[in-house]
């Protein structure tokens, strides 16, 4: 379709090196063809042009002092994409790979993901090329304080509400929140993922992983299947992977893999969750430590990965949960999963599968839950944290978890029905993208030319 081609060319011209952003825009816009053809109001109102160019892009320098007294300089940013249905909302990523293209792809995805949660949240994302790995608590604190020294003027409980993402967990949110409070003299729900003593929500830590498994359960239920007793593969070993594994084990499934930037573990009797939590949440070590503790587990370092494949996806499984990072699962990996009988892929990470891998899953008609639907549980419970902060009432674990389950079920039903409505039954990429887009685009039209 001409309009879609025009938009994809436009962003390539305007932002030539932002490859991940090009990929995210291509994936979304391609699947919008049926709704754009059916209603020309979106093209008439230049909705895609207004969606791919963020409302605001803020870039800043972050200067801090390391433990040796040396001055360090990083780059920070916050990209506020769209606030038609609520305050900008999305995480902060601290990782050396962070660049404007990565934050743009994440912020763009967040618009549609947040719309799917049924809650009032717009889309945004931010981050820095700072690497928290190997830094002392004092260094992380000084970096977070310096980052907030600039960010605080752009955010607010009704304006823009950041949270965590890769490299930003409870510790970082604590230091960021403390500095915000110090600078503004306000105790606002301006960040989510806070600790329970000072405004955090129960289930927020578990939410992305639990939600991703709930989404898989819903996809499988429709086909009369479940996860009990099934072998599952999981990539990553951060917050998303850990709580995906926890929920899988609660349901009687057997997750057998984990990975990090240095290598992967295959533990065929099932991952030892207590050991994993100890290594990653307490000691902040690499997975080599897991292999040292568990002699039966097989450890493959990244240096031994062959032919551009990710070995996690070559372990036979019933269901796969990519929970590490973008583009960690390519066409070869997708083919191996299908060949080995995989029936379900539920994405805990953002855009973990390449576009050709996604096409492979859709053509094979397996249960495929794209990240912006399957991993929306994290930001959904962030929305519930905002609701608790606004009413100054904390909710119980059971109640919050029930709300999370309900939201994941609603996202699945919405995506699945929308796919049917546009003659793409079973295609949750089309369903999720159109459902998220329609809510935001119609709200933009309601509110005039802005
Ligand atoms: N970083 C998470 C995501 O990709 C959570 C964002 C949030 O809670 O605001 O959705």
């Amino acid at each position: 379709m001409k309009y879609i081609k025009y938009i994809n060319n436009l962003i390539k011209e305007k932002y030539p090196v932002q490859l991940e952003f090009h990929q995210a825009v291509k994936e979304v816009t391609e699947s919008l063809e049926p709704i754009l053809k059916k209603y020309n109001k979106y093209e008439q109102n230049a909705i895609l042009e207004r969606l791919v160019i963020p409302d605001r892009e803020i870039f800043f320098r972050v200067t801090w002092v390391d433990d040796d007294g040396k001055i360090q300089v990083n780059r920070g940013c916050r990209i506020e994409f769209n606030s038609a249905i609520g305050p900008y909302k999305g995480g902060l990523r601290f990782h050396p790979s962070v660049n404007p293209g990565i934050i743009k792809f994440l912020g763009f995805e967040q618009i549609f993901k947040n719309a799917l949660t049924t809650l009032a949240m717009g889309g945004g994302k931010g981050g820095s090329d700072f690497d928290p790995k190997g830094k002392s608590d004092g260094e992380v604190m000084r970096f977070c304080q310096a980052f907030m020294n600039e960010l605080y003027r752009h955010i607010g409980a009704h304006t823009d509400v950041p949270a965590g993402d890769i490299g930003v967990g409870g510790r970082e949110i604590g230091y960021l929140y403390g500095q915000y409070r110090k600078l503004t003299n306000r105790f606002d729900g301006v960040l989510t993922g806070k600790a329970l003593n000072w405004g955090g929500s129960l289930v927020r830590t578990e939410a992305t992983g639990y939600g991703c498994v709930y989404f898989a359960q819903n996809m499988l239920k429709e086909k009369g299947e479940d996860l009990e007793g099934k072998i599952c593969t999981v990539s990553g070993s951060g917050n998303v992977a850990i709580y995906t594994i926890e929920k899988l084990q609660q349901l009687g499934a057997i997750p057998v893999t984990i990975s990090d930037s240095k290598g992967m573990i295959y533990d065929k009797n099932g991952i030892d969750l207590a050991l994993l939590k100890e290594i990653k949440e307490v000691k902040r070590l690499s997975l080599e430590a897991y292999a040292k503790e568990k002699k039966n587990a097989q450890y493959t370092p990244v240096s031994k990965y062959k032919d551009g494949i990710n070995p996690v996806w070559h372990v036979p499984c019933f269901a796969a949960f990519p929970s590490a990072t973008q583009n960690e699962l390519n066409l070869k990996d997708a083919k191996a999963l299908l060949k080995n009988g995989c029936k379900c892929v539920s994405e805990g990470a953002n855009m973990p599968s390449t576009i050709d891998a996604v096409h492979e899953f859709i053509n094979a008609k397996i249960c495929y839950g794209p990240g912006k639907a399957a991993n929306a549980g994290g930001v959904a419970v962030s929305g519930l944290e905002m609701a608790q902060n606004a009413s100054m009432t904390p909710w119980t674990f059971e109640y919050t978890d029930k709300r999370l389950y309900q939201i994941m079920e609603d996202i699945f039903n919405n995506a699945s029905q929308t796919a049917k409505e546009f003659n793409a039954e079973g295609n949750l990429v089309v369903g999720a993208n159109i459902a998220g887009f329609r809510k935001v685009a119609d709200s933009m039209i309601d509110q005039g030319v802005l």
Side-chain angles (χ1 to χ4, degrees), residues 26-98:
K26 182 169 190 276
E27 191 259 356
V28 170
T29 51
E30 267 180 5
S31 60
L32 295 179
E33 187 162 335
I35 191 170
L36 296 174
K37 275 193 172 148
K38 191 162 173 193
Y39 305 104
N40 64 9
K41 62 179 175 177
Y42 300 118
E43 188 170 350
Q44 269 168 4
N45 281 281
I47 291 297
L48 288 182
E49 291 86 327
R50 292 199 261 158
L51 277 172
V52 297
I53 298 178
D55 287 357
R56 211 165 289 107
E57 300 183 57
I58 302 147
F59 291 93
F60 48 94
R61 189 187 65 249
V62 187
T63 316
W64 56 284
V65 180
D66 70 16
D67 286 349
D68 299 326
K70 197 166 173 263
I71 296 171
Q72 299 284 346
V73 178
N74 287 97
R75 270 166 63 81
C77 77
R78 184 76 185 163
I79 301 194
E80 296 178 336
F81 247 101
N82 189 290
S83 62
I85 63 164
Y88 305 106
K89 181 82 195 88
L92 296 170
R93 178 176 289 192
F94 292 170
H95 191 270
S97 66
V98 162

Side-chain angles (χ1 to χ4, degrees), residues 121-420:
M121 297 182 289
K125 204 88 186 189
S128 172
D129 56 2
F130 171 75
D131 187 0
K133 247 185 233 151
K135 302 284 190 303
S136 69
D137 285 353
E139 289 177 320
V140 171
M141 180 182 76
R142 290 192 295 280
F143 172 80
C144 288
Q145 290 174 342
F147 187 87
M148 189 51 84
N149 283 345
E150 174 60 35
L151 187 69
Y152 86 97
R153 67 188 92 241
H154 307 291
I155 60 178
H158 298 279
T159 309
D160 183 354
V161 184
D165 195 84
I166 294 173
V168 179
R171 174 181 60 170
E172 289 75 16
I173 294 292
Y175 296 144
L176 290 162
Y177 191 78
Q179 188 70 356
Y180 177 86
R181 191 171 55 74
K182 177 92 180 161
L183 290 167
T184 59
N185 196 21
R186 291 179 68 93
F187 196 95
D188 288 331
V190 68
L191 295 170
T192 59
K194 301 185 289 299
L196 297 176
N197 283 335
W198 39 276
S201 172
L202 285 161
V203 196
R204 178 62 190 88
T205 309
E206 296 85 354
T208 313
Y210 279 20
C212 189
V213 177
Y214 294 156
F215 197 84
Q217 280 184 294
N218 276 282
M219 290 193 289
L220 289 165
K221 197 163 78 191
E222 213 188 36
K223 301 204 169 169
E225 295 263 21
D226 64 31
L227 288 160
E228 203 183 332
K230 307 284 185 358
I231 301 289
C232 298
T233 48
V234 179
S235 62
S237 49
N239 171 268
V240 180
I242 289 175
Y243 292 95
T244 295
I245 289 171
E246 182 165 287
K247 183 50 73 181
L248 285 171
Q249 291 182 343
Q250 285 172 9
L251 296 173
I254 309 154
V256 294
T257 59
I258 37 177
S259 63
D260 66 11
S261 58
K262 295 204 174 119
M264 69 87 90
I265 291 280
Y266 172 42
D267 195 344
K268 71 171 188 317
N269 300 321
I271 295 296
D272 181 335
L273 184 61
L275 178 62
L276 173 62
K277 283 188 180 181
E278 172 76 9
I279 287 170
K280 286 293 172 182
E281 291 184 336
V282 184
K283 296 186 176 154
R284 299 178 191 273
L285 294 173
S286 95
L287 288 176
E288 269 165 309
Y290 185 102
K292 269 192 200 132
E293 260 326 292
K294 297 216 88 186
K295 297 286 175 238
N296 290 336
Q298 201 177 305
Y299 179 68
T300 312
V302 168
S303 57
K304 298 250 166 72
Y305 288 13
K306 278 187 248 132
D307 308 326
I309 61 154
N310 182 348
V312 169
W313 312 128
H314 297 252
V315 172
C317 67
F318 171 79
F321 295 84
S323 313
T325 194
Q326 66 273 359
N327 292 331
E328 55 162 313
L329 193 167
N330 62 26
L331 183 60
K332 280 187 191 168
D333 301 324
K335 286 191 165 148
L337 277 168
L338 294 171
K339 191 170 139 245
N340 288 328
C342 176
K343 296 278 179 298
C344 172
V345 176
S346 193
E347 295 184 340
N350 288 310
M351 205 168 76
S353 307
T354 57
I355 290 189
D356 45 8
V358 173
H359 290 160
E360 197 72 13
F361 294 141
I362 298 285
N363 291 339
K365 297 199 182 313
I366 62 161
C367 299
Y368 170 68
K372 67 171 74 63
N375 76 33
V379 74
V381 175
S382 277
L384 302 182
E385 183 173 330
M386 289 160 73
Q388 292 168 76
N389 292 163
S391 63
M392 300 189 75
T393 347
W395 301 348
T396 64
F397 190 96
E398 290 67 29
Y399 177 71
T400 316
D401 190 35
K402 226 188 231 155
R403 290 282 306 259
L404 169 63
Y405 186 89
Q406 187 63 54
I407 288 172
M408 298 315 295
E409 188 173 66
D410 289 348
I411 295 175
F412 170 73
N413 288 335
N414 187 7
S416 160
Q417 276 155 22
T418 308
K420 247 184 232 160

